[in-house]
Amino acid sequence: MTIEQIKAALKNNNARWQAEETPFFNLPEEEKQKRLGYIPGPNEPSLLEREKLAATNFKQLMASIGAEGTLGLAPSFDLRNVNGNNYITPIKDQSSCGSCVSFGTLATMEGTLRYINKDPNLGIDYSEAHLFYCNNRQCNSGDPNEGWSVNPALDSLKM
């Protein structure tokens, strides 16, 4: 798919975001595949099984909400725009080393801490490398190309 086709599809669907080329757009297909993320380990559910479980859990949640609709929660919440403030830290390039969980987990923590402290410019920059290379090795075989999941990443941050 070309960038022009993507932009046209977004426009046709009244999307609220814009597509532009990134450094990843023109990577060879093999390199793009390396950056697609987590591969479950031998004792973990497959990605398809995880999607089915998430869909089931979502249906159960929606059924429990019933006529109330939202449990008193806002229909959406976006840390990129809270009363005009962006609490999200800048995007970083993880390359293709399987560290997406470390990057995503720490970006979530950093944005949340900025929001909690009501400071969109809070100088916070945790080490994805430390989380991945030190804590991740406790959760898998130690292969730097083997990813891990969010729950063990968050658990390791509790220590």
Side-chain angles (χ1 to χ4, degrees):
M1 183 174 264
T2 67
I3 192 73
E4 288 77 21
Q5 290 171 317
I6 294 170
K7 286 180 178 182
L10 292 171
K11 184 177 182 180
N12 290 339
N13 288 289
N14 298 317
R16 297 186 315 179
W17 61 278
Q18 297 176 356
E20 296 294 335
E21 284 191 23
T22 68
F24 312 105
F25 191 79
N26 292 312
L27 287 175
E29 193 59 36
E30 181 179 314
E31 187 64 24
K32 286 180 184 176
Q33 290 297 316
K34 287 181 182 177
R35 296 173 183 234
L36 285 178
Y38 176 70
I39 298 172
N43 298 323
E44 297 179 309
S46 71
L47 295 177
L48 182 58
E49 291 168 332
R50 287 171 184 244
E51 286 181 22
K52 289 179 181 177
L53 180 60
T56 300
N57 290 341
F58 181 72
K59 286 178 185 174
Q60 290 174 349
L61 173 67
M62 296 311 288
S64 71
I65 292 172
E68 296 174 26
T70 63
L71 295 174
L73 303 173
S76 67
F77 185 77
D78 188 343
L79 284 175
R80 294 172 299 168
N81 184 0
V82 180
N83 299 320
N85 292 310
N86 181 358
Y87 292 95
I88 299 301
T89 53
I91 294 171
K92 299 174 186 171
D93 182 359
Q94 73 181 44
S95 191
S96 58
C97 72
S99 57
C100 58
V101 169
S102 295
F103 277 79
T105 300
L106 291 183
T108 300
M109 280 187 57
E110 291 168 353
T112 301
L113 285 170
R114 283 179 165 194
Y115 175 74
I116 288 171
N117 286 286
K118 297 180 177 28
D119 184 354
N121 299 308
L122 182 66
I124 189 164
D125 185 10
Y126 289 129
S127 173
E128 292 83 5
H130 179 80
L131 181 59
F132 182 71
Y133 288 108
C134 298
N135 299 65
N136 177 34
R137 290 182 189 241
Q138 299 168 15
C139 301
N140 68 28
S141 66
D143 179 352
N145 294 312
E146 182 181 325
W148 59 328
S149 62
V150 175
N151 289 343
L154 289 170
D155 287 342
S156 73
L157 294 170
K158 293 177 186 176
M159 295 179 198

